[in-house]
Amino acid sequence: MESDLALAPAPASKGRPREFCTDAALAAALRVFWSKGYEAASLTDLTEAMGITRPSLYAAFGNKEALFHKALDLYEQEKLAYTRRALEQPSARAVAEHILRGALAAQMGRDEPHGCLGVIHSMACGDEAQAIKAAVIARRQSSQQALVDRFAQAQRDGDLPATIDATGLTHFLYALLQGMAVQASSGATRADLERVVDTALQIWPGR
């Protein structure tokens, strides 16, 4: 297995323009990580997809792990924007629906790999991916806490029953999202996942 921990070569001299678009190269790297997973994505896979050499990758992005973190930032910014908008919805049910339907659209995008990048990497088990797994889980915990706070506010507003455990409800929603991601990457159709979303909303507590 190719090592991603090699020290980066000295960067090009200051002021020398790069001969590639870093945004396009990062987007290409994201697709490789998303489709193959961190461990299976070799440096050759990445440089070929990005259209750059290894020295250029190291100079522009650092090593493989640093590149993955930048790709994950891009994924959260572009592909998970719906999760931030969801928190602004007027009811807890609307929050859940916005997240579920946003996840469905992201996981089943016609021109994107199926499944969820975060779920794929939170399930990685090889030694190489342990730091990546920990980072992904830490990001997810931050997002989960935002949802717990939103559902707790819904309880104070009378939108959710007082008997509901806001933390448990958040974990329930994430279990649905993770299950949908696994099914999407395993060949489930959009119609299959739409049934999951519709059923979840039918049994959602409150209004």
Side-chain angles (χ1 to χ4, degrees):
M1 180 179 293
E2 297 173 84
S3 173
D4 63 310
L5 299 178
L7 293 178
S13 58
K14 186 175 181 180
R16 180 179 176 181
R18 292 197 176 103
E19 298 177 353
F20 62 93
C21 174
T22 55
D23 290 343
L26 184 58
L30 170 58
R31 288 183 61 82
V32 173
F33 285 128
W34 195 350
S35 60
K36 289 180 172 288
Y38 180 80
E39 292 169 295
S42 69
L43 289 173
T44 299
D45 293 330
L46 291 163
T47 54
E48 287 182 352
M50 298 165 76
I52 62 177
T53 64
R54 291 193 187 190
S56 293
L57 184 154
Y58 289 132
F61 301 104
N63 62 14
K64 179 182 172 184
E65 183 175 338
L67 174 62
F68 176 80
H69 285 291
K70 291 181 174 67
L72 187 56
D73 288 339
L74 177 63
Y75 177 79
E76 292 185 343
Q77 177 184 345
E78 292 190 351
K79 310 303 180 183
L80 298 185
Y82 67 87
T83 62
R84 295 186 292 276
R85 293 192 296 268
L87 297 174
E88 302 170 357
Q89 301 305 305
S91 68
R93 187 183 188 281
V95 169
E97 180 167 13
H98 200 88
I99 288 176
L100 289 168
R101 298 204 185 281
L104 175 61
Q107 293 168 7
M108 301 300 292
R110 180 176 301 176
D111 299 322
E112 301 289 1
H114 288 178
C116 172
L117 182 68
V119 170
I120 292 169
H121 291 89
S122 66
M123 296 171 65
C125 56
D127 291 341
E128 181 188 11
Q130 288 308 302
I132 295 298
K133 179 178 179 179
V136 169
I137 290 174
R139 293 190 188 215
R140 185 178 67 201
Q141 289 173 337
S142 176
S143 298
Q144 285 180 326
Q145 187 57 52
L147 266 179
V148 171
D149 294 343
R150 178 64 184 84
F151 290 153
Q153 181 61 53
Q155 284 183 304
R156 292 191 291 271
D157 295 341
D159 179 46
L160 280 175
T163 54
I164 290 293
D165 177 0
T167 300
L169 188 61
T170 298
H171 288 313
F172 169 71
L173 182 56
Y174 266 80
L176 287 171
L177 294 170
Q178 291 165 348
M180 288 169 59
V182 172
Q183 290 186 38
S185 62
S186 300
T189 66
R190 176 179 287 270
D192 292 333
L193 298 186
E194 284 176 344
R195 292 190 190 97
V196 174
V197 172
D198 291 342
T199 301
L201 294 173
Q202 287 173 3
I203 64 176
W204 189 261
R207 296 178 298 202

